[in-house]
Amino acid sequence: MTRLALSTAALPGRTPAEVARACAPRGLAGIEIVLDAVPSESTARAWRALDVPVIALRAETGEVGASPELARIAGILEAPVVLAPDRVALARIPALARAYASHGATLLLGHRTRLAEVRRAAALVETVGSVALGLAWEIRPLDDDLSRATQLLIAAEPHMLHVRLHGGGPEQRAHDGRGVGEVFVQLALSRYAGAIALAPSCDASPELWARWAAGSSPSGCGSRGGALVAEGRLELDVRAVEPKDRIDAVLSSYDVVGPGGTLGLIVDHDPDCMSHLLTATQPEGSFRFEYLERGPETWRVDVVRRS
Amino acid sequence: MITTQPIELDVRTIPPREKHPAIFRTFDALERGQAFVLVNDHDPFPLRHQFEATRAGQYSWTYVQSGPVIWRVSIAKS
């Protein structure tokens, strides 16, 4: 089973215990802890008792990543260590892998969405031949060309054990059309069973992630009910509503316009599914769906209710 | 013992416009008799009607988990 996890990077200033508690509203199954130093043994033992498991420790600096002591801590915590890409020289990896193996821990080499980088790291994992070594893919949808994700997965298998998505969460609408969907289809079809850690992109605001983690809509602008723009006509900009709240927003707006009224929907995907939603929930023939604009980025439809 | 991992697609990480195409791409890639587990943060019941409209008789739909935070549906190709 894949596990969606929250990185401590998403909630700066909060402790791992606070980030672990923040997982519940979103149904997240674990946390990734970004390390600025090697934690003590007592800290590691405290982390074992958090609300959700620690699914990875992320070493951002070469100094932390190359520390054999971190291997011992990872063994205590029973969580893999992910090295941020390009922080530790590959020549040091075989010795580190031995340290991790001796503590029953796992070291994952982070790489970006670059085929040559993945092949080099996968070759090293094969050469060292240690079960203590694996790969961690860092996906940055705003910067990366995701069209070669399939080849990348083939090159990385079966060593891919961790995925970190920079963005996702409250930022996912900014990734529309970048190919993230296809990446996760390929991961699913390859039966990927590791964790997917959500971390903010470089330019994300901490407030955006804090609101999202609390379970509220990222827009937070009270647009869920739609706006009455003319007598008998309500407009709902679905783009501003979080996916999980969209069904309720469409149904409640549909109720508000009433028989004979028109609900104008502005959507960031083909609203075909909303036609299915209304077909499933309303009496047969009680509405008509009229497309005013059909993508590729924005769709507009009028849902005309029969009098 | 060799255990086969289930195919699992967590659409919570997929941007809105790519969600449904990703779900149908995964389904269409299945062999007959195979299934995948769809993970979502709301009840995907409208999607079931979309399956019914486009792939009637070719799928089965079984709730594995029904909220209140996470929904899991096993969608099999028959």
Side-chain angles (χ1 to χ4, degrees):
Chain A
M1 190 184 287
T2 51
R3 288 179 301 172
L4 204 55
L6 185 62
S7 174
T8 54
L11 299 173
R14 300 216 208 159
T15 65
E18 288 166 338
V19 176
R21 278 196 292 277
C23 285
R26 291 285 169 185
L28 303 172
I31 63 167
E32 172 202 82
I33 299 178
V34 177
L35 302 173
D36 47 16
V38 178
S40 68
E41 186 173 332
S42 61
T43 300
R45 293 198 187 282
W47 286 348
R48 285 184 61 140
L50 295 179
D51 288 11
V52 292
V54 176
I55 54 99
L57 298 171
R58 179 177 168 90
E60 285 280 6
T61 67
E63 193 188 344
V64 173
S67 160
E69 169 64 4
L70 186 55
R72 191 175 73 84
I73 297 298
I76 291 168
L77 197 51
E78 295 177 38
V81 167
V82 175
L83 294 181
D86 307 323
R87 298 295 197 280
V88 177
L90 292 185
R92 301 185 69 171
I93 299 301
L96 275 176
R98 283 193 292 277
Y100 277 79
S102 73
H103 293 289
T106 310
L107 179 66
L108 305 179
L109 311 179
H111 59 78
R112 299 284 304 274
T113 310
R114 296 183 188 120
L115 206 48
E117 210 176 293
V118 177
R119 288 194 174 130
R120 203 160 49 234
L124 179 63
V125 172
E126 299 275 347
T127 307
V128 174
S130 168
V131 291
L133 214 48
L135 301 179
W137 184 7
E138 196 165 300
I139 304 173
R140 296 176 184 264
L142 296 179
D143 308 322
D144 296 348
D145 171 11
L146 298 179
S147 64
R148 302 187 78 184
T150 309
Q151 287 123 294
L152 187 143
L153 264 174
I154 291 168
E157 276 186 328
H159 306 298
M160 180 81 72
L161 298 173
H162 184 86
V163 170
R164 188 179 213 239
L165 179 63
H166 289 246
E171 297 183 69
Q172 57 173 249
R173 271 199 63 227
H175 299 166
D176 243 331
R178 303 282 311 167
V180 175
E182 188 58 23
V183 167
F184 285 102
V185 168
Q186 294 305 327
L187 277 167
L189 293 175
S190 72
R191 297 173 190 274
Y192 175 72
I196 299 166
L198 300 179
S201 66
C202 299
D203 45 4
S205 82
E207 293 77 27
L208 184 71
W209 277 84
R211 270 206 310 274
W212 180 82
S216 62
S217 181
S219 63
C221 57
S223 57
R224 282 189 56 180
L228 193 65
V229 293
E231 188 58 34
R233 180 178 175 86
L234 193 72
E235 282 203 344
L236 177 67
D237 190 341
V238 181
R239 297 171 302 180
V241 183
E242 219 192 323
K244 76 179 173 70
D245 299 324
R246 289 182 175 186
I247 290 175
D248 286 348
V250 171
L251 288 179
S252 62
S253 300
Y254 183 88
D255 284 345
V256 169
V257 293
T262 296
L263 172 61
L265 298 175
I266 308 168
V267 196
D268 48 14
H269 61 81
D270 190 335
D272 187 39
C273 55
M274 291 169 187
S275 162
H276 290 293
L277 166 68
L278 293 169
T279 305
T281 54
Q282 308 300 324
E284 202 179 328
S286 57
F287 71 93
R288 200 171 71 238
F289 225 61
E290 292 177 358
Y291 277 85
L292 308 178
E293 186 179 342
R294 290 178 181 266
E297 294 193 355
T298 305
W299 282 255
R300 287 170 205 271
V301 290
D302 274 356
V303 184
V304 184
R305 290 190 60 168
R306 208 172 61 182
S307 314
Chain B
M1 189 179 74
I2 296 169
T3 54
T4 310
Q5 291 289 344
I7 298 173
E8 191 174 271
L9 184 70
D10 191 330
V11 298
R12 291 178 293 169
T13 52
I14 300 177
R17 205 193 314 154
E18 300 181 34
K19 273 187 213 290
H20 283 205
I23 292 164
F24 287 113
R25 278 265 302 111
T26 305
F27 177 80
D28 291 342
L30 297 178
E31 310 273 337
R32 282 186 179 180
Q34 273 190 322
F36 78 104
V37 176
L38 170 71
V39 184
N40 204 1
D41 53 13
H42 60 266
D43 186 346
F45 74 91
L47 179 75
R48 184 177 189 169
H49 290 270
Q50 206 166 351
F51 264 96
E52 198 54 40
T54 57
R55 287 156 180 83
Q58 299 167 39
Y59 75 99
S60 70
W61 179 281
T62 312
Y63 282 96
V64 180
Q65 188 179 348
S66 299
V69 179
I70 304 290
W71 279 256
R72 285 175 201 274
V73 184
S74 174
I75 303 172
K77 191 181 260 187
S78 39

